Amino acid sequence: MGAETETRRCRNCGADMALTERRWTGTGTELGYACASCGYEVKMMPPGAVGSGILMWVVASALVTALFMYDKWFGPGVLGWIVIALFWLGGAWVYLPALWKLRTHPVTGSAPSKLPEEQSDSDPLRAGIKAVERKTFLGAPLLLIAGAAAILLLAAAVGYVNDVILN
């Protein structure tokens, strides 16, 4: 069940909200849901975008924190602590409200989409972003981790062939 056919619970009246809008924002897709009973509307990120964004936020913030903490004599210093805090707080500012919207508007079922079919995208980056966004909240991060593992496995295989077989 994809985000295009999901119905979500209305926070105001408890009825089902249907997908009314799907819009490309330049960096991702924004989904708009509306309640037919009370007229409540909400715009949210797809679950795959939230899951993959949280994964990238935590990994990037942990990497920046580890790099600044590497200095064994003095530590990160005031500027370093500011950069670390900005990474952690910036990601929280973007992804925690999106996660809260997904939590307060849970999926209740599915309904046929009334939106027109989306044309296939000729831009490979945008097509890749849309493919990850269409996954589930946990499916998108697992897909990204599997992709990173595949790249590292390929690099290890190339290194093995270069060092052991060819030399």
Side-chain angles (χ1 to χ4, degrees):
M1 176 168 57
E4 289 77 29
T5 60
E6 291 176 345
T7 58
R8 295 190 170 270
R9 181 174 300 128
C10 178
R11 192 169 65 183
N12 284 343
C13 67
D16 287 349
M17 295 189 309
L19 182 66
T20 58
E21 179 186 17
R22 179 181 50 229
R23 186 175 67 91
W24 177 257
T25 62
T27 58
T29 304
E30 182 180 66
L31 302 175
Y33 289 90
C35 179
S37 299
C38 67
Y40 176 76
E41 293 183 359
V42 65
K43 302 220 185 285
M44 61 177 56
M45 294 171 65
V50 176
S52 60
I54 288 174
L55 172 73
M56 290 184 285
W57 161 49
V58 170
V59 168
S61 297
L63 180 66
V64 166
T65 302
L67 289 175
F68 274 100
M69 294 295 189
Y70 182 69
D71 187 8
K72 64 181 177 181
W73 296 108
F74 299 107
V78 173
L79 181 62
W81 283 112
I82 291 171
V83 169
I84 290 169
L86 286 176
F87 263 80
W88 284 103
L89 294 174
W93 183 66
V94 172
Y95 291 110
L96 292 182
L99 181 62
W100 181 253
K101 283 183 182 179
L102 289 177
R103 178 89 170 122
T104 57
H105 301 94
V107 175
T108 56
S110 65
S113 177
K114 294 181 174 122
L115 295 178
E117 282 296 316
E118 202 171 8
Q119 301 296 326
S120 62
D121 210 329
S122 61
D123 182 14
L125 178 62
R126 189 168 36 217
I129 290 172
K130 287 180 181 180
V132 170
E133 285 181 342
R134 293 185 192 281
K135 302 293 181 206
T136 62
F137 179 76
L138 293 176
L142 289 176
L143 177 69
L144 294 178
I145 290 170
I151 289 171
L152 291 174
L153 185 63
L154 179 66
V158 168
Y160 178 79
V161 167
N162 185 34
D163 289 345
V164 176
I165 297 177
L166 295 179
N167 289 330

